[in-house]
Amino acid sequence: MRESLKRIAAVTRVRNLEFLRDRSSLGWNIVLPVVLLLGLALIFSGEGKPLYKVGVFTEAQELSSDLHPFLATQYIYFFKVDKLEPAVDKISRHQIDLLLDLTVEPPHYWVNTTSPKGYTLERMLGGKPLAKGVEGFQRQTVDGEEVRYVDWLVPGILGMNMMFSCLFGVGYVIVRYRKNGYLKRLNATPLTAFEFIVAQVLSRLLLIMTITVVIFMATWLVLDLRVEGSLLALFVLALLGSVSMIAMGLIISSRVTSEELAGGLLNVLSWPMMFLSGVWFSLEGAPEWVQASAGLLPLTHLLNGARAIMLDGAGLLSLGYEISVLAGMTVVFLLLGAATFKWTRE
């Protein structure tokens, strides 16, 4: 028993020394939490952060309590909407919690009757729950079948799972290949870097799509998900989004030789996507720089397209922007990965 504990202590000491001597990995383990904390503090800082988002359709230049006393309510983020119909659609998709139209008399408000936040705001607006609406307002509900929150959330959860599988599934494997000398042996064969990268993409893609399809079909049957569009269009979009994120992971693994460093770099990519790509909540009403930053992430376009297909019945032709961006990112990521690829640790 004593000798066993000595061996365990010796191996533990060696591994700790290996980690401490790897300055790049040590640096990332120190820098990454600080960067994440600063980033989250920048986005979510400030006193009295809004709990609800209310769109206001008005001809006034600025929103103030002079338009209606409700606009002075604390912890609600009020913002102007330029067009009424698109804003009503966002109510049905839980992107806006409540919508006010102050251009008509009496004023109108739109609410999604399946939204917990919408129910709370309606009570705050009227002071008490009224079956026929709030005094002084004309109640409007979204037309057609209302979108449940789970219908909006499932694409985000599946997209997040795909993201982690794409980034970490490829990144760690190739770094380990390089660290163990496997890539050095492959370099002695006629195999080119581009061929190796394409093979890695195809292998990971087959695994990810199989798992995602199985999970999606099971979830669809159990939760009776709303799918207005074509399943084929959804599959094609998921395929393109997966390739794009796999190619992004390949850029990190193309030269890194340390698994710890690779993990830090992959976290730098995955955490912003998890928070800014609309996995858990909509960025409607967020600062413009936040929405612009989200547009640089492939998961954002994948989720926007998937929700458009599932909730609005959009086809591939109407998703030209999302498809073009994902295709462009894929090409750029693959070319960068192949150009910077390194076979050996030296």
Side-chain angles (χ1 to χ4, degrees):
M1 183 66 179
R2 184 176 180 181
E3 293 299 323
S4 177
L5 292 176
K6 286 184 177 180
R7 289 193 294 270
I8 293 174
V11 173
T12 302
R13 178 177 178 274
V14 169
R15 181 65 189 96
N16 289 340
L17 289 175
E18 179 186 4
F19 175 74
L20 292 173
R21 290 170 180 172
D22 188 347
R23 296 181 180 178
S24 57
S25 301
L26 180 61
W28 270 110
N29 277 268
I30 296 174
V31 172
L32 178 61
V34 176
V35 172
L36 290 176
L37 287 173
L38 291 177
L40 292 174
L42 179 63
I43 295 173
F44 299 108
S45 62
E47 297 182 358
K49 296 301 294 181
L51 300 176
Y52 308 96
K53 291 185 289 187
V54 175
V56 182
F57 184 62
T58 177
E59 297 176 352
Q61 296 296 323
E62 297 183 0
L63 300 180
S64 67
S65 58
D66 295 336
L67 298 175
H68 192 276
F70 182 62
L71 299 184
T73 308
Q74 295 185 25
Y75 310 119
I76 299 178
Y77 177 60
F78 297 97
F79 63 97
K80 291 185 61 176
V81 296
D82 297 326
K83 297 181 179 179
L84 191 60
E85 291 185 3
V88 173
D89 292 336
K90 292 175 181 178
I91 283 286
S92 69
R93 296 196 294 267
H94 300 269
Q95 293 177 278
I96 299 177
D97 301 318
L98 193 73
L99 175 63
L100 304 179
D101 182 2
L102 303 182
T103 63
V104 294
E105 187 63 38
H108 290 32
Y109 73 89
W110 276 261
V111 64
N112 188 329
T113 56
T114 65
S115 169
K117 289 186 175 181
Y119 170 80
T120 303
L121 285 169
E122 190 174 15
R123 294 196 62 173
M124 294 170 64
L125 180 63
K128 57 181 179 179
L130 298 173
K132 295 183 179 180
V134 173
E135 185 177 355
F137 280 85
Q138 182 172 333
R139 189 178 195 258
Q140 304 285 339
T141 57
V142 290
D143 296 327
E145 182 182 357
E146 295 172 340
V147 178
R148 301 172 301 169
Y149 180 63
V150 68
D151 295 320
W152 188 89
L153 181 62
V154 164
I157 298 297
L158 292 179
M160 182 183 67
N161 184 64
M162 293 169 62
M163 174 196 70
F164 281 116
S165 297
C166 291
L167 294 180
F168 287 87
V170 173
Y172 273 122
V173 170
I174 295 181
V175 171
R176 187 172 67 248
Y177 283 170
R178 184 177 294 109
K179 187 175 182 179
N180 295 339
Y182 179 66
L183 292 184
K184 186 176 182 180
R185 293 192 292 272
L186 284 180
N187 191 29
T189 70
L191 187 71
T192 65
F194 185 78
E195 292 169 344
F196 174 77
I197 287 177
V198 170
Q200 292 298 314
V201 171
L202 293 176
S203 173
R204 175 54 52 171
L205 185 63
L206 177 62
L207 178 62
I208 289 173
M209 293 305 299
T210 301
I211 294 175
T212 302
V213 168
V214 171
I215 295 176
F216 174 80
M217 296 304 295
T219 308
W220 186 24
L221 294 175
V222 172
L223 299 179
D224 190 25
L225 293 179
R226 176 173 177 170
V227 182
E228 298 290 341
S230 166
L231 290 177
L232 178 60
L234 192 60
F235 180 84
V236 171
L237 183 70
L239 193 71
L240 184 56
S242 297
V243 174
S244 180
M245 289 187 287
I246 290 173
M248 174 183 279
L250 287 170
I251 295 179
I252 299 299
S253 61
S254 62
R255 299 189 67 86
V256 176
T257 60
S258 167
E259 292 173 338
E260 287 86 355
L261 177 59
L265 293 173
L266 291 171
N267 275 313
V268 169
L269 295 178
S270 59
W271 278 75
M273 282 196 279
M274 188 165 58
F275 281 104
L276 300 181
S277 293
V279 172
W280 306 103
F281 49 83
S282 169
L283 290 180
E284 190 68 31
E288 292 185 2
W289 70 268
V290 174
Q291 298 189 39
S293 300
L296 302 176
L297 307 172
L299 184 59
T300 301
H301 303 283
L302 172 60
L303 296 186
N304 288 344
R307 286 179 175 135
I309 293 173
M310 293 178 61
L311 305 182
D312 302 328
L316 290 177
L317 293 179
S318 61
L319 298 177
Y321 175 72
E322 286 79 9
I323 292 176
S324 299
V325 172
L326 287 174
M329 288 182 174
T330 301
V331 172
V332 172
F333 294 156
L334 284 176
L335 292 177
L336 285 176
T340 60
F341 189 80
K342 183 172 65 172
W343 291 100
T344 61
R345 301 182 62 179
E346 291 77 12

